[in-house]
Amino acid sequence: MPRVTAAAPPSCSPRGLIPLRSSRASRPCVARAYSGKRLGAENTRVQNVHRMGLETRIRNQLLRPELPPSSYDTAWVSMVPLRGSNQSPCFPQCVEWILQNQQDDGSWGVNRFDSSVNKDVLLSTLACVLALKRWNVGRENIWRGLHFIGRNFSVAMDEQTTAPIGFNITFATMLSLAIDMGLEFPIRQTDVHGILHLRKMELKRQALYGSYGRKAYMAYIAEGLGNMLDWDEVMKFQRKNGSLFSCPSTTAVALIHKYNDQAHQYLNSLVSEFGGAVPAVYPSKLHCQLLMVDALERMGISQHFVNEIKNILDMTFSHWLQKNEEIMMDIATCAMAFRLLRMNGYDVSSDELSHVAEASTFCDSLQGYLNDTKSLLELYKASKVSLSGNDLILDSIGSWSGNLLKDKLCSSRVQKTPIFGEMEYAVKFPFYATLERLEHKRNIEYFDAWGSLMLTTKCSSFHVTEEFLALAVKDFSFSQSVYQDELQHLDSWVKENKLEQLQFARQKLTYCYLSAAATIFPSELSDARISWAKNGVLTTVVDDFFDVGGSKEELENLIELVEKWHEHHADKYYSEQVKIVFSAIYATTNQLGAKASAAQGRDVTKHLAEIWLGLLRSMMMEAEWQRSQHVPTVEEYMTNAVVSFALGPIVLPALYFVGQELLEHAVKDQEYDKLFRLMSTCGRLLNDSKGFEREGSEGKLNSISLLVLHSGNSMSTEAAKKVIQKSIDTSRRDLLRLVLRKESVVPRPCKDLFWKMCKILHLFYFQTDGFSSPKEMVGAVHAVINEPLKIQMGDASSFHQKNEDLL
């Protein structure tokens, strides 16, 4: 497969900037250094200008999505006659556009992702030829169009080629109509019979069904059925805006067969807004904007467009409350709107998805009848953002849509389509068990595979533009250079604090930093990542010290030192190990505290020290339980465990570095405490569930073994695991609900860190006790921090393999 390796961000070698002693011999070196510095600055300036240009163009697209013209729909609109004058077009500007926009090869229609001829282009070309013949204009254009179709007629006959909706019916009907109009195609009569036979077989197959979905489908491809339809029945699908399915071609053919004022007004407004060429779907501005918002989030560049995204989601929420047809009448749009609104803190109810709560109702819809995978996938994603354990609608949607997706994954036909990798990833990795930066990289590299997964239409539709990809590549590549510098700094910090000398301690720097870089990913949040990673390393050291490295006297000495904090110098260190551990905690906490205090405008160092003291005391409690063979109640165990799980020093200090003012009253609020406890409960129980056998072999108690013991062994281990899993699910949903709640004393960016840590924990313990199995994370570490982007150009087949390679 062709690959393009993204260039690393320009950098200036430090060696060229070392000041030299003044001498004649050194002057050329000084000149070269100065020249190199100027060149580096100029490269940076050019890069910044280019980046700003990309951001400006994306902002304009967010405000005014550019809907590409559909040659097919324009052709059908152009065939609508002027009322009362069957010999004149109602929309002559459409006829003129067709005349002026034929391709050099005689075709109409452009395939964005592939220069080869496809059925979309054939269908558009035939429609345009019909339109010109209808009004007896453009003889030369018609001749060139006929010969294009003749040269590429084998494409129409190829059943393995992806086809627009209803192609076998619509193309054959239009071909037959063209022949009846006297047009001569340079094709064999047997090929014509072959196409007409495909139409006959398709109509015979459709006759077997009598569902609402089938009726909707037949109305949707009305241009392929003509007088076979009952047009009064067809008009029952008319929407409030006057259209049929918001589709210009379907509306146009309906107007040709049965005049309707609302339909005419719809087409008239459409042509007035877009001129000679109309899009494949209208209205679709909101849908396109939601697609772009989703793309920005998926590629990790949404932080550059906060205001624009807020305006779009505010408008979407307003339309949601009004039950606007543009959202509610399209299943994929409705599901996507629900997911994006909910995950951005808007109060939306799953009741609006009740019409697809059951598989039967989905299958009876137009999208279900079409077996539309895009709609199915969006419903599945929406079902996963549940905030309570009794959301029956989302639970039901998640169940049946997941089963249908799994069935589709077994289909060899689906495995060859771009959406296959998307389906597999969604089914395998729940959204709460992913690393954002890893997802960003996957989505950037396989942009071609999912960037075309937009509205389901008969022909071409809206696509996310290459500007999104270009900005995402720049952003990710620059971030990697920052991550690499930060990792070097952290490596030096470990050595300066002599942490590598502690033989008992696991060396987890890379994995601690991965959890920071993969979630707190914006390059400007360096202090938050450094704080997160350093404290992650220190909590691992302390955990190992309490588990295997320290004696009772050493542990008591360490706690005493932290209790005295600044007055510790009067005390003696029990051992060199204690000195190294305490000195690293003390120096690092004071350094981070000074930075955090400056950022917050108040002294927070004392709070950071208190977090460490709370952790050490809780760990000592567990050590004493084990030493005395005390068996705590499950409640005692969990009350202590949410602190001893050691997330406090990692997450809580980082809250001060995300660019938000975190007031003292917010830190002391119940919401802050609840966020911490829910996050830590998830982590502790996940660890207990996945590390049960390992910890049992070490003679340690955890929540599962305690449940079994306190039941008098009436509860089996498997039953206890189910109880714990239910508690994990409940805590996760409660945490997400609290994070998304708008009425809050803790700022949303701060709350997000609790959720990000929860996601990390779910991924780390996804299949094994991940933190104790470093090989599980090796691929992810290299992908996020070291490996440059490799953009996969037009290759969807290996999309799913990348998921396996990374994790």
Side-chain angles (χ1 to χ4, degrees), residues 249-488:
S249 55
T250 304
T251 307
V253 75
L255 191 59
I256 291 170
H257 284 86
K258 184 178 180 67
Y259 183 81
N260 178 278
D261 280 335
Q262 286 180 290
H264 181 268
Q265 289 171 13
Y266 166 80
L267 292 178
N268 196 50
S269 65
L270 192 61
V271 173
S272 297
E273 180 172 347
F274 292 95
V278 302
V281 182
Y282 182 84
S284 57
K285 177 182 178 181
L286 200 56
H287 179 93
C288 296
Q289 288 176 319
L290 289 175
L291 286 170
M292 288 189 283
V293 169
D294 193 39
L296 291 172
E297 291 186 354
R298 292 177 61 173
M299 300 172 85
I301 51 177
S302 60
Q303 68 273 18
H304 303 301
F305 308 95
V306 174
N307 292 332
E308 290 80 8
I309 289 174
K310 183 181 183 302
N311 290 337
I312 290 170
L313 293 180
D314 282 347
M315 180 61 69
T316 303
F317 185 53
S318 175
H319 285 323
W320 180 276
L321 294 177
Q322 297 168 21
K323 295 181 172 54
N324 184 285
E325 280 189 340
E326 188 179 349
I327 295 177
M328 300 303 175
M329 295 298 287
D330 181 79
I331 291 175
T333 305
C334 187
M336 186 192 303
F338 173 80
R339 172 172 56 85
L340 291 174
L341 287 172
R342 174 162 282 190
M343 289 304 293
N344 281 277
Y346 294 82
D347 184 15
V348 288
S349 170
S350 59
D351 289 347
E352 301 305 333
L353 296 172
S354 61
H355 62 293
V356 285
E358 301 297 333
S360 57
T361 53
F362 171 74
C363 293
D364 202 31
S365 68
L366 175 59
Q367 286 89 351
Y369 188 77
L370 292 171
N371 199 21
D372 179 29
T373 305
K374 171 68 174 173
S375 297
L376 190 61
L377 185 58
E378 284 297 341
L379 282 171
Y380 182 75
K381 289 180 180 179
S383 73
K384 297 306 166 185
V385 294
S386 175
L387 302 181
S388 69
N390 57 356
D391 193 325
L392 300 180
I393 293 174
L394 292 187
D395 287 348
S396 178
I397 291 173
S399 176
W400 68 256
S401 62
N403 289 333
L404 288 180
L405 283 174
K406 289 171 185 175
D407 289 343
K408 278 177 171 284
L409 287 172
C410 297
S411 166
S412 59
R413 188 177 182 88
V414 173
Q415 288 176 13
K416 298 175 183 178
T417 63
I419 204 170
F420 176 77
E422 280 287 288
M423 294 162 57
E424 186 183 54
Y425 188 84
V427 169
K428 184 171 183 179
F429 295 101
F431 84 104
Y432 54 78
T434 57
L435 292 177
E436 288 171 88
R437 212 52 174 158
L438 201 58
E439 280 202 314
H440 297 160
K441 184 171 190 180
R442 181 182 67 91
N443 289 328
I444 293 168
E445 291 187 330
Y446 289 87
F447 176 77
D448 265 6
W450 63 269
S452 61
L453 303 179
M454 306 305 173
L455 279 171
T456 300
T457 61
K458 301 171 190 174
C459 283
S460 58
S461 185
F462 177 80
H463 300 87
V464 175
T465 65
E466 298 295 334
E467 278 89 355
F468 286 68
L469 178 61
L471 180 61
V473 168
K474 278 185 173 295
D475 191 86
F476 192 94
S477 299
F478 177 72
S479 294
Q480 279 192 317
S481 69
V482 174
Y483 301 158
Q484 290 160 14
D485 289 344
E486 289 174 356
L487 197 52
Q488 285 185 347

Side-chain angles (χ1 to χ4, degrees), residues 144-156:
R144 291 171 57 210
L146 291 173
H147 280 75
F148 172 84
I149 294 170
R151 289 195 305 274
N152 298 284
F153 201 78
S154 60
V155 175

